[in-house]
Amino acid sequence: MDNNQGMMSCAIGTWAVALLAGVLAAVLLMVLGGWSFMQAAFIGAVLFVVAGALISFILCRPLPPIGTATIGTAEEETPASKPAAAKPAAASAPAVTEAEVKPSKPLPGQEDLAARKGEWKYEGEAATPAPAKKPPAKKAPAKSAAPASAAEGPGTKPETLSAARDGGPDDLKQIKGVGPKLEALLHSMGFYHFDQVGNWGADEVAWVDQNLQGFKGRVSRDNWVEQAKILAEGGTTEFSSKVKKGGVY
């Protein structure tokens, strides 16, 4: 009876501590982390359940009765658990010496075999020559890799310019995802103006995505084409406005 009451008191205390921890965590998330009430309450509830179950399991489980561990240890050391002693070898089997394995001279007709192998079989036993070793298989010559310039990836290469038009290149950094390094790379590939990027179709986007060394996938991931169309028509985007104000680069 006293043991059950003690376990009940321990469980109530541990769950109260877990509840306090969950409430405290939820308050800290709302105050310091800027979380919403529902988000913080959910995390607090999860912490309450996990902490309560873990602390109850560690602190409130019943202890084994005194003497249980000793009895279990004694039972494990019973003679039945000891490995059985190895049975002595049968005395009737005579030991075979090396002198009995090899006769003193080769059998008739086996001189060539004896000279080749340096050993022979028992008298009256047919000689079996060792199987001939197979020559190592020749490795097929490795195929030469295709030159890097020939594999440009999927899609179709867009039309490029050898230099910017008379008015000079557009500020491609106004496209979200294009920084100074990426703008220089686009110039080296022949892309200087918004209308060039805005006219790319799906095949052209796939080609540029594959061939932007160090920036693969940026065209489709940052939606360059739609941004470039707006900028080519003289419009602005939220990102281009920040760039013009000098708050980005």
Side-chain angles (χ1 to χ4, degrees):
M1 186 64 179
D2 293 339
N3 190 17
N4 291 336
Q5 291 179 352
M7 291 177 59
M8 181 63 69
S9 300
C10 178
I12 293 173
T14 54
W15 283 104
V17 172
L19 177 61
L20 180 60
V23 173
L24 181 59
V27 172
L28 290 176
L29 288 174
M30 288 189 294
V31 175
L32 301 180
W35 290 37
S36 66
F37 173 76
M38 294 300 296
Q39 292 175 332
F42 176 75
I43 297 300
V46 172
L47 180 61
F48 163 67
V49 174
V50 173
L54 183 61
I55 298 174
S56 297
F57 176 76
I58 295 174
L59 300 180
C60 300
R61 60 179 178 178
L63 296 175
I66 299 176
T68 302
T70 306
I71 294 174
T73 305
E75 289 178 355
E76 291 176 357
E77 295 180 355
T78 56
S81 62
K82 294 182 180 180
K87 294 182 179 180
S92 60
V96 180
T97 62
E98 185 178 359
E100 294 176 352
V101 174
K102 292 184 180 180
S104 58
K105 61 181 180 178
L107 300 177
Q110 297 182 4
E111 290 82 359
D112 294 340
L113 178 64
R116 188 165 62 250
K117 296 179 59 180
E119 59 182 2
W120 45 84
K121 300 286 184 179
Y122 290 109
E123 186 174 359
E125 186 176 356
T128 55
K133 294 183 179 179
K134 294 181 180 180
K138 296 182 179 180
K139 295 183 178 179
K143 296 181 179 180
S144 59
S149 60
E152 293 183 342
T156 304
K157 183 178 180 179
E159 294 183 3
T160 60
L161 298 174
S162 58
R165 301 189 188 107
D166 296 338
D170 293 329
D171 186 6
L172 298 181
K173 296 189 298 296
Q174 294 184 29
I175 300 175
K176 186 177 181 180
V178 179
K181 292 183 179 180
L182 192 47
E183 183 184 46
L185 177 60
L186 290 172
H187 288 173
S188 68
M189 297 172 67
F191 307 118
Y192 299 90
H193 303 282
F194 295 137
D195 60 285
Q196 287 183 276
V197 180
N199 290 329
W200 289 346
D203 290 340
E204 286 85 357
V205 169
W207 188 93
V208 179
D209 264 340
Q210 183 64 26
N211 289 274
L212 283 177
Q213 299 299 326
F215 302 92
K216 291 185 178 182
R218 296 295 293 271
V219 180
S220 55
R221 186 165 65 246
D222 292 330
N223 203 7
W224 288 7
V225 176
E226 290 188 9
Q227 296 183 66
K229 286 180 180 179
I230 297 173
L231 297 172
E233 294 173 359
T236 59
T237 63
E238 181 180 357
F239 183 79
S240 66
S241 299
K242 293 180 180 179
V243 175
K244 289 179 181 179
K245 294 177 181 179
V248 179
Y249 304 106

